[in-house]
Amino acid sequence: MGIRFVLLVNKQGQTRLAQYYAEHLTLDERRALEGEIVRKCLARTEQQCSFVEHRNYKIVYRRYASLFFLVGVDNDEQMEYTYCGSFTHGRSKQFSSVIAYVAMGAVVDVIAYVNELAILEFIHLFVETMDRHFGNVCELDIMFHLEKAHFMLEEMVMNGCIVETSKSNILAPIQLMEKAS
Amino acid sequence: MAATAAITTTSSPSLVDTLFQRSLDDVIRALRSSPSSASEETVISRALDEIRREIRSPDLDTKSVSLQKLTYLSSLHHLDLSWAAFHALELLPSPSLPHARIGYLAASLSFHPSSTELLPLATHQLRKHFAPSPANPPALAASALHLLALASSPDLGRHLASDLLPLLSSQSAASSSLRAKAVATALRTLAVCPDVAPVLFKPLVDCLSSSDPRTVSAAVGAFCELALAAPDPFPYLPLAPEFYRLLVDSRNNWVLIKVLKIFARLAPLEPRLASRILDPICQLLRRSHAKSLVFECIRTILSSLTDHEEAVRLAVDKVKEFLSSDDDPNLRYLGLRALSMLESAHPWVVEESREAVIKSLSDPDTNIRVESLHLIVGMLCESNVVEICNLLNKYAMKSDPEFANEIIGAMLVTCGKNLYELILDFDWYVALLGEMVRNPHCAKGEEIERQLVDIGLRVRDARPELVRVARDLLIDPALLGNPFLFRVLSASAWVSGEYVEFSRNPVELVEALLQPRINLLPSLIRAVYIQSVFKVMSFCFISFIEQIQAVELLSVGGSTQRSEKNDEQSDTVPLKTTESNVSEGDHGDTTADTVLLLDLIDKKTNFTRESISDLMNLIETAVAPLSECEEVEVQERARNVLGLLFTLRETQFWNIEAAHELKSDKELSEIIELLEAAFSEELGPVSANAQKRVSVPEGLNLNANLSDLSKILTDYDLTPSASISFSLQSYNPQETKEDSVLAVEPSSLLAEHRKRHGLYYLSTQRDGDELNDYPRANEPLLPVDHGDATEDLVKLTTPSLVPRKSKPTKPRPVVIRLDEGDGTSTSHLTTVKKSDNLLSEAIRGVLLENESQPSLSGKLDTSSKRRENDASDNSELISQQIESVTLEHGNSSSRKSRQHRTHKERYESHFKNEDIEKSSRHSIKSSRQHRRHKHRQRGDVTADIVPQTPAIQDFLL
């Protein structure tokens, strides 16, 4: 699974768009996750990189004016902590008799699911597409046209895979619909 | 839910609602104009009330607007949407496209197989929207696909799989975007119910060779997901030619990135494939301007093509470019990430970029700093560990708390890895541990505690320095203020009590252990402190007695030399063998350090009646109040100390002038004997596997239900501590002393038990049982050489902060290692996903069946007969067959069918192997070996299968 979720959050931490893929979280879990991520990203500065690890996700984010675009992907490269055995010390009853310890294990042998830079490009593409549609897109546009933003995202991402990367293709169905109504 | 129902039944939608319904925009405006979160709450609840009424309206416009409002509120304000699931379903069949899309949007945001029971109701509607008809605009089918991709349940997938087929195979240009979406949806369906693979997989493969770039892009994405998720990507190898064509022809970076990912997974399986793709990848790397593609090329080379030196070189050059891009932290981060992939395969790469890596340690970004720290720690080896760790420790002092602990943790883990295999100079390491504690942010107390005690137990040569470090920590009142360090103090107290013979000034130690501020410590740690006081006190007393004996012997022998006095003393009373070793080692040295050590001996032996009595008074004043302490552990130990104190006071040793008098005093000599016996036994580490060696005695049923016992047990007031009996060495000395009279019966039982199962106990005799298969702790120690001891002392005095070129000037001290299970036994946390296995098995079925059909068809009969025969065969036979087949491989055509069968068996066994591997990976090194082994294995398999898969053969030759 590539993309796990797409979030748009403003500087005040209010969610402006949320789409989860094949990831079923309860409302409370979502609220908690979104809050944690936003706090983490807000604390970061422009000089810091756009990748944050959080829980079992890697979050690729980019800030446009007051809006954060966050894309959560599988964090498959996380360091694995391997349990390495335990020791029992003889007479030292005062100590916990079994002292277990962990050691840093190997980086897991998998190929990263997603290309972080490609996700950044995807975010930019999403912003450009909205820009083309709304003309100088701002937070309010997304608020008042949430379903359009969702439709664009639907065109671009299916089941966590990026399926469409051409702006005119993405916008075609929406323009059709606008013409019809 | 009940409340909802109540509201909706009482207030039915009226015409007024329909006429004066607020639109979504109205609600958003109301929300925006609400000044506080409280008023926002009221706006939301008011809107919700309206929605509950309106959504029941028969008018689809009203219904859709209210659902739209609800979707908005649910998505952005985390409101429950599940109660409206049925209303969303009601909108799906609407002839109006906007209505249906609103319904789909609400459904796709809220439906999930695990929470929505109504999902089966959507089956028919989805099928209708998939069907290509003029009444269905593509937008509708797209929404339907999106919903299926998000909310697919196994049932839904099974029912709708065949309906995806027309979408997947349609050729018209108009439906090309639908086709791409159908591919992504099919991927999801495959993941949810692997048994539809026979239906969906073939069309998916066909999409790869489609003329429509969007379809190809989606198909490549799908196969990328499949190949990466599969535990064994082998089934996808036959598709390699298709992917290769794309790699060479495609100009789309998105597609290329996916193709590269697939090859990264496939290349290790087939060496010829690797050499084939190498050239196109290097070309891409050279000419592409897209950083994402460049990075993907780098990652592919570094992860799967590491054997090709030239390509690695090229990739490393690009990585260096990334590392040096000052304006883009993303590239710096990814560059470090790429380096860490090469850490074990090509350490020279990291060495080369060392400067950039170390520079990144002070990057403004924490993520980059952590990456660089991991790389630096990965570079550690025996020769540079001292230098680098000293630098890191200094750096940790200046860093922010979080990163300081990151550094300290990384150092602890790396240095402690595999029983301190990197450490040659334990004196340095112990001192480093002491310095880590001085870091004001240090919160790694537990690990430092563990290592301090562990080194004490395992490395005999490190003990003097350990005691010195422990003393410094104990007398520092500042450390008592940091709760994270309490565990370190506990370890220090234990170390200085256990190895008190190395202490320069036991009296000072007692003062430190009994300082008033120890009240700040938790009771368990105070108990450790008091127990150490006990040990120190008995040590001082015994030393004093020895001194009397030695003085008498001296006067008899007429020798005046101090060192001889010391020798003789240790000869007469072989109290602590280590101690005499050390003093022997120093004997004859003329450096200033010898003076230091002699001073130490001096201090130790320089107990007078007054100093002992002062010590006792000090202990009494400090410990007496604790005997009333509410904490059991503290109270018990305090009473033990006081008990010993009073017993000693009662004896007549104050009046004894000479050793012969001592011998005549029976009571005193008994006490001395007891005290010596209590502490002379050395503690050793116990193997984690020791417990396993105890076999279950005959007639003992461990599975018997013991519930009856609880009734009996409630009658007695059994404290849990009564049931703890570790081994003899776990006995507290005072227990042996005081309980010996009271608990004769249990101890005799214990003795009997020990006699029967003596094998499983650590030896109780002083000289040790040679036949015991359990290794004696600390046994294989080499006596310290005279010359080395001097050097040791020189090192001890040089400040360890000065970076030293550490040529191993002295042999590494012995670190006790118990058995292969010690410290290396691992259990892996990851578990193999079952569904992944299912899926890949299904796909293997489809793909390999397809490929091997022609060669199989003729021999199907014979092979099935053989299979029947083999059904009764056991695994030994199978393995024999495998051997024979590999030997005679390709010799005769009559064996072909048999060969094919063995393939299948091999796949299976290979799969099992892999599962086992996943569940028990040992360490970085061993997993690397495994992987190499795996590749070889796979190489064999592919060599066998090549004749049956002409596609690969043509492509590769």
Side-chain angles (χ1 to χ4, degrees):
Chain A
M1 173 60 60
I3 296 174
R4 288 284 184 171
F5 55 78
V6 177
L7 285 179
L8 264 64
V9 187
N10 69 7
K11 251 167 60 179
Q12 286 77 44
Q14 292 162 315
T15 310
R16 287 292 168 237
L17 183 148
Q19 175 77 65
Y20 292 80
Y21 298 95
E23 186 88 338
H24 191 61
L25 300 172
T26 64
L27 288 172
D28 287 337
E29 285 167 345
R30 284 185 188 189
R31 197 198 309 257
L33 179 75
E34 286 165 22
E36 287 164 20
I37 294 173
V38 171
R39 243 169 285 136
K40 228 175 192 174
C41 292
L42 277 175
R44 296 173 65 81
T45 62
E46 291 285 322
Q47 290 92 49
Q48 302 188 327
C49 70
S50 311
F51 317 117
V52 185
E53 282 172 22
H54 182 73
R55 296 207 209 164
N56 48 339
Y57 304 108
K58 176 178 276 177
I59 291 141
V60 182
Y61 74 95
R62 202 160 202 176
R63 187 179 158 178
Y64 290 88
S66 64
L67 265 191
F68 282 89
F69 287 68
L70 307 138
V71 176
V73 296
D74 273 329
N75 186 11
D76 34 27
E77 285 177 32
Q78 60 184 311
M79 294 303 260
E80 205 168 283
Y81 285 83
T82 323
Y83 178 66
C84 276
S86 60
F87 288 84
T88 318
H89 290 290
R91 203 201 299 157
S92 55
K93 202 168 153 192
Q94 305 96 311
F95 293 88
S96 54
S97 57
V98 176
I99 303 168
Y101 73 102
V102 289
M104 214 173 285
V107 176
V108 191
D109 141 51
V110 285
I111 288 101
Y113 271 94
V114 284
N115 184 313
E116 294 87 341
L117 294 172
I119 296 289
L120 278 180
E121 280 165 33
F122 159 76
I123 292 176
H124 194 67
L125 176 70
F126 186 33
V127 175
E128 278 183 348
T129 312
M130 288 200 287
D131 211 44
R132 183 187 279 192
H133 184 75
F134 295 114
N136 215 351
V137 67
C138 67
E139 195 182 329
L140 276 183
D141 289 321
I142 298 169
M143 277 181 81
F144 282 100
H145 303 280
L146 183 67
E147 76 278 10
K148 277 184 195 158
H150 267 293
F151 294 152
M152 285 179 213
L153 202 56
E154 255 175 51
E155 291 292 320
M156 295 173 79
V157 186
M158 270 287 223
N159 181 28
C161 304
I162 297 166
V163 288
E164 184 58 78
T165 51
S166 135
K167 270 172 264 185
S168 45
N169 283 344
I170 297 166
L171 291 174
I174 295 171
Q175 281 156 355
L176 264 179
M177 232 172 33
E178 280 186 341
K179 240 179 252 171
S181 59
Chain B
M1 219 34 122
T4 318
I7 292 168
T8 44
T9 44
T10 47
S11 52
S12 60
S14 63
L15 187 66
V16 183
D17 288 326
T18 316
L19 280 176
F20 298 102
Q21 186 184 29
R22 290 199 296 170
S23 71
L24 175 60
D25 287 5
D26 295 335
V27 174
I28 298 172
R29 278 194 202 102
L31 275 172
R32 274 175 55 78
S33 58
S34 60
S36 67
S37 64
S39 64
E40 198 178 272
E41 289 289 314
T42 50
V43 171
I44 290 175
S45 63
R46 200 187 126 209
L48 208 57
D49 285 344
E50 287 172 8
I51 290 166
R52 286 207 168 107
R53 251 180 297 132
E54 294 160 6
I55 207 162
R56 291 170 46 80
S57 160
D59 177 33
L60 284 184
D61 275 325
T62 316
K63 195 190 274 293
S64 68
V65 169
S66 75
L67 189 63
Q68 198 180 15
K69 288 191 281 189
L70 183 61
T71 311
Y72 179 88
L73 291 177
S74 130
S75 171
L76 302 192
H77 296 272
H78 305 283
L79 289 186
D80 186 24
L81 186 57
S82 56
W83 61 270
F86 187 72
H87 301 292
L89 285 176
E90 276 181 323
L91 280 178
L92 297 188
S94 160
S96 147
L97 178 62
H99 289 171
R101 287 204 70 157
I102 287 170
Y104 272 119
L105 181 62
S108 63
L109 284 174
S110 67
F111 280 20
H112 192 270
S114 68
S115 63
T116 315
E117 294 146 13
L118 297 172
L119 208 52
L121 293 180
T123 318
H124 178 64
Q125 199 52 52
L126 288 172
R127 182 172 288 152
K128 248 170 95 181
H129 283 162
F130 287 154
S133 87
N136 284 337
L140 210 52
S143 294
L145 284 171
H146 191 244
L147 177 60
L148 181 61
L150 284 170
S152 204
S153 67
D155 276 342
L156 205 60
R158 217 163 285 134
H159 286 127
L160 292 173
S162 52
D163 295 289
L164 288 175
L165 286 179
L167 290 171
L168 281 174
S169 49
S170 72
Q171 295 297 331
S172 70
S175 61
S176 74
S177 79
L178 270 188
R179 205 175 163 200
K181 292 194 177 81
V183 168
T185 310
L187 174 67
R188 175 76 188 150
T189 316
L190 277 176
V192 190
C193 47
D195 44 336
V196 299
V199 186
L200 288 178
F201 205 71
K202 191 81 181 39
L204 271 184
V205 175
D206 293 341
C207 284
L208 274 179
S209 46
S210 159
S211 57
D212 173 41
R214 292 152 97 181
T215 313
V216 173
S217 165
V220 169
F223 277 103
C224 177
E225 294 285 331
L226 285 171
L228 292 192
D232 177 16
F234 185 75
Y236 302 97
L237 203 52
L239 295 173
E242 289 291 338
F243 297 135
Y244 180 78
R245 191 178 50 74
L246 286 169
L247 180 68
V248 178
D249 295 344
S250 178
R251 289 286 161 272
N252 183 337
N253 286 347
W254 300 89
V255 172
L256 285 172
I257 287 172
K258 300 276 182 198
V259 170
L260 283 171
K261 280 186 190 299
I262 296 172
F263 275 126
R265 198 79 211 276
L266 293 183
L269 307 186
E270 171 59 71
R272 287 174 296 173
L273 185 61
S275 49
R276 191 76 197 259
I277 57 172
L278 203 59
D279 199 39
I281 292 180
C282 286
Q283 271 183 15
L284 278 180
L285 193 54
R286 279 195 203 97
R287 58 154 216 255
S288 176
H289 296 294
K291 288 278 186 273
S292 52
L293 184 58
V294 168
F295 182 63
E296 201 55 50
C297 290
I298 293 174
R299 190 143 62 180
T300 308
I301 292 173
L302 298 194
S303 67
S304 306
L305 304 169
T306 39
D307 299 337
H308 300 80
E309 200 68 37
E310 202 183 321
V312 171
R313 195 72 256 184
L314 188 65
V316 167
D317 287 345
K318 286 282 177 186
V319 170
K320 282 182 188 156
E321 266 174 43
F322 274 31
L323 284 175
S324 60
S325 54
D326 289 330
D327 52 335
D328 193 344
N330 291 341
L331 293 186
R332 289 205 301 275
Y333 174 79
L334 293 176
L336 290 174
R337 247 7 236 265
L339 279 189
S340 65
M341 294 172 74
L342 277 179
E343 216 175 354
S344 39
H346 294 272
W348 56 268
V349 177
V350 189
E351 277 298 324
E352 266 186 17
S353 326
R354 196 174 160 164
E355 235 165 81
V357 172
I358 290 177
K359 209 181 103 197
S360 310
L361 206 57
S362 48
D363 202 275
D365 187 355
T366 25
N367 293 355
I368 293 178
R369 289 205 299 250
V370 169
E371 284 303 318
S372 116
L373 174 66
H374 286 159
L375 279 170
I376 291 174
V377 161
M379 281 193 275
L380 285 181
C381 65
E382 285 175 3
S383 56
N384 63 13
V385 66
V386 176
E387 192 187 349
I388 294 185
C389 279
N390 283 335
L391 283 175
L392 282 179
N393 199 39
K394 263 192 207 164
Y395 192 77
M397 290 282 185
K398 293 181 287 184
S399 309
D400 57 297
E402 199 185 336
F403 193 56
N405 278 307
E406 196 80 47
I407 295 177
I408 292 173
M411 280 196 285
L412 284 172
V413 168
T414 316
C415 293
K417 203 169 53 188
N418 217 351
L419 295 182
Y420 318 98
E421 66 177 357
L422 287 179
I423 311 292
L424 290 175
D425 181 358
F426 274 90
D427 290 349
W428 162 77
Y429 185 57
V430 169
L432 178 75
L433 287 178
E435 276 163 37
M436 286 179 189
V437 179
R438 301 305 169 117
N439 189 318
H441 308 305
C442 177
K444 297 277 174 195
E446 262 182 60
E447 178 62 11
I448 297 177
E449 173 208 27
R450 192 195 69 76
Q451 294 201 358
L452 283 176
V453 174
D454 199 46
I455 291 175
L457 294 176
R458 286 180 194 273
V459 192
R460 185 174 277 187
D461 292 357
R463 284 174 195 168
E465 178 67 7
L466 198 59
V467 170
R468 192 191 67 76
V469 168
R471 170 208 166 261
D472 289 353
L473 295 180
L474 285 176
I475 61 170
D476 189 347
L479 298 183
L480 283 164
N482 183 354
F484 289 115
L485 299 180
F486 287 170
R487 304 289 297 268
V488 179
L489 292 177
S490 153
S492 307
W494 183 81
V495 161
S496 35
E498 185 64 24
Y499 307 115
V500 60
E501 67 265 22
F502 299 111
S503 173
R504 292 180 201 178
N505 189 348
V507 180
E508 181 197 53
L509 197 62
V510 170
E511 279 165 4
L513 287 171
L514 292 175
Q515 60 183 301
R517 273 171 63 99
I518 67 162
N519 287 338
L520 295 169
L521 296 172
S523 63
L524 276 178
I525 292 168
R526 266 155 78 201
V528 180
Y529 269 62
I530 296 168
Q531 184 67 13
S532 290
V533 170
F534 188 96
K535 288 179 193 164
V536 175
M537 182 169 73
S538 50
F539 168 77
C540 293
F541 182 70
I542 292 169
S543 311
F544 173 64
I545 299 290
E546 276 169 18
Q547 202 180 322
I548 297 176
Q549 288 171 330
V551 167
E552 192 177 72
L553 277 171
L554 261 181
S555 61
V556 171
S559 166
T560 48
Q561 260 196 323
R562 250 179 180 175
S563 53
E564 251 182 64
K565 167 179 105 183
N566 186 37
D567 273 355
E568 272 174 320
Q569 171 208 332
S570 48
D571 281 343
T572 35
V573 189
L575 172 65
K576 307 246 174 172
T577 42
T578 38
E579 174 200 331
S580 55
N581 271 348
V582 168
S583 43
E584 265 172 78
D586 286 293
H587 149 56
D589 288 330
T590 48
T591 49
D593 306 300
T594 335
V595 179
L596 203 83
L597 200 85
L598 282 174
D599 190 42
L600 185 150
I601 296 162
D602 225 17
K603 279 234 175 75
K604 191 201 77 185
T605 52
N606 207 6
F607 290 115
T608 60
R609 275 191 188 75
E610 287 69 42
S611 67
I612 291 281
S613 140
D614 284 350
L615 183 71
M616 284 183 164
N617 290 337
L618 171 71
I619 293 172
E620 193 184 350
T621 14
V623 175
L626 294 178
S627 66
E628 306 293 326
C629 179
E630 285 173 8
E631 305 288 343
V632 198
E633 289 279 348
V634 178
Q635 192 200 47
E636 189 188 355
R637 279 160 221 278
R639 282 180 184 272
N640 287 338
V641 171
L642 291 175
L644 176 69
L645 196 85
F646 294 139
T647 325
L648 291 180
R649 282 236 175 107
E650 277 170 24
T651 60
Q652 297 301 307
F653 86 94
W654 309 107
N655 305 323
I656 291 171
E657 292 290 342
H660 57 89
E661 283 179 52
L662 191 77
K663 273 169 199 153
S664 59
D665 190 332
K666 212 175 167 202
E667 196 191 356
L668 191 58
S669 58
E670 249 175 41
I671 290 175
I672 291 167
E673 227 170 82
L674 249 167
L675 283 177
E676 276 174 11
F679 293 117
S680 59
E681 191 83 40
E682 236 187 88
L683 277 181
V686 177
S687 163
N689 295 339
Q691 180 77 41
K692 285 186 208 148
R693 300 189 186 189
V694 185
S695 58
V696 180
E698 249 178 80
L700 174 64
N701 184 5
L702 286 176
N703 298 323
N705 192 352
L706 296 179
S707 58
D708 297 345
L709 264 182
S710 60
K711 262 186 248 158
I712 307 167
L713 283 178
T714 46
D715 296 344
Y716 301 95
D717 196 18
L718 266 183
T719 53
S721 66
S723 62
I724 298 172
S725 67
F726 234 47
S727 70
L728 181 72
Q729 294 193 335
S730 74
Y731 261 55
N732 285 319
Q734 65 278 9
E735 273 176 8
T736 50
K737 197 183 75 183
E738 290 175 5
D739 300 353
S740 56
V741 197
L742 295 165
V744 179
E745 207 172 73
S747 69
S748 69
L749 281 174
L750 191 68
E752 201 185 305
H753 177 75
R754 192 167 290 134
K755 218 162 135 194
R756 261 172 50 202
H757 305 288
L759 191 64
Y760 307 115
Y761 283 91
L762 293 180
S763 63
T764 53
Q765 297 99 329
R766 277 271 201 90
D767 30 5
D769 188 356
E770 290 305 313
L771 289 172
N772 196 339
D773 77 336
Y774 196 85
R776 272 274 285 163
N778 301 357
E779 197 70 287
L781 270 187
L782 303 164
V784 181
D785 291 341
H786 288 224
D788 284 344
T790 337
E791 202 155 342
D792 207 33
L793 285 165
V794 172
K795 277 194 174 174
L796 200 140
T797 47
T798 46
S800 50
L801 269 170
V802 180
R804 263 176 270 154
K805 288 278 167 284
S806 53
K807 291 267 155 46
T809 44
K810 63 162 192 174
R812 182 172 187 262
V814 178
V815 180
I816 295 153
R817 183 183 288 268
L818 289 175
D819 51 28
E820 72 286 343
D822 192 356
T824 51
S825 72
T826 52
S827 69
H828 211 259
L829 295 175
T830 53
T831 47
V832 184
K833 287 180 208 155
K834 210 180 166 192
S835 64
D836 286 353
N837 265 335
L838 271 175
L839 177 61
S840 68
E841 260 160 46
I843 287 165
R844 183 185 306 106
V846 174
L847 264 182
L848 293 181
E849 210 78 344
N850 283 346
E851 305 290 342
S852 56
Q853 212 86 62
S855 64
L856 241 182
S857 52
K859 286 125 192 166
L860 213 67
D861 292 350
T862 49
S863 78
S864 65
K865 261 185 211 165
R866 276 172 183 274
R867 204 165 300 180
E868 273 168 35
N869 291 341
D870 283 353
S872 58
D873 283 356
N874 55 17
S875 55
E876 273 175 46
L877 256 174
I878 291 173
S879 63
Q880 276 172 9
Q881 274 176 354
I882 291 175
E883 270 172 33
S884 69
V885 167
T886 39
L887 281 174
E888 302 164 41
H889 154 63
N891 278 357
S892 66
S893 58
S894 66
R895 290 193 183 271
K896 221 173 181 182
S897 65
R898 199 176 154 189
Q899 207 177 315
H900 175 75
R901 188 163 33 76
T902 22
H903 283 159
K904 285 216 157 177
E905 279 155 7
R906 269 210 214 167
Y907 291 156
E908 277 156 24
S909 68
H910 176 64
F911 251 71
K912 278 173 204 155
N913 283 346
E914 198 170 72
D915 286 359
I916 294 163
E917 257 171 41
K918 284 222 167 175
S919 63
S920 64
R921 196 173 298 172
H922 293 294
S923 66
I924 313 169
K925 271 186 193 166
S926 70
S927 83
R928 289 246 157 216
Q929 282 166 358
H930 267 277
R931 226 177 308 155
R932 226 170 283 143
H933 179 64
K934 241 189 306 188
H935 299 170
R936 231 183 294 130
Q937 215 177 340
R938 284 169 185 162
D940 290 348
V941 176
T942 44
D944 284 358
I945 203 156
V946 162
Q948 293 166 1
T949 52
I952 294 191
Q953 199 182 26
D954 294 346
F955 164 65
L956 290 167
L957 296 179

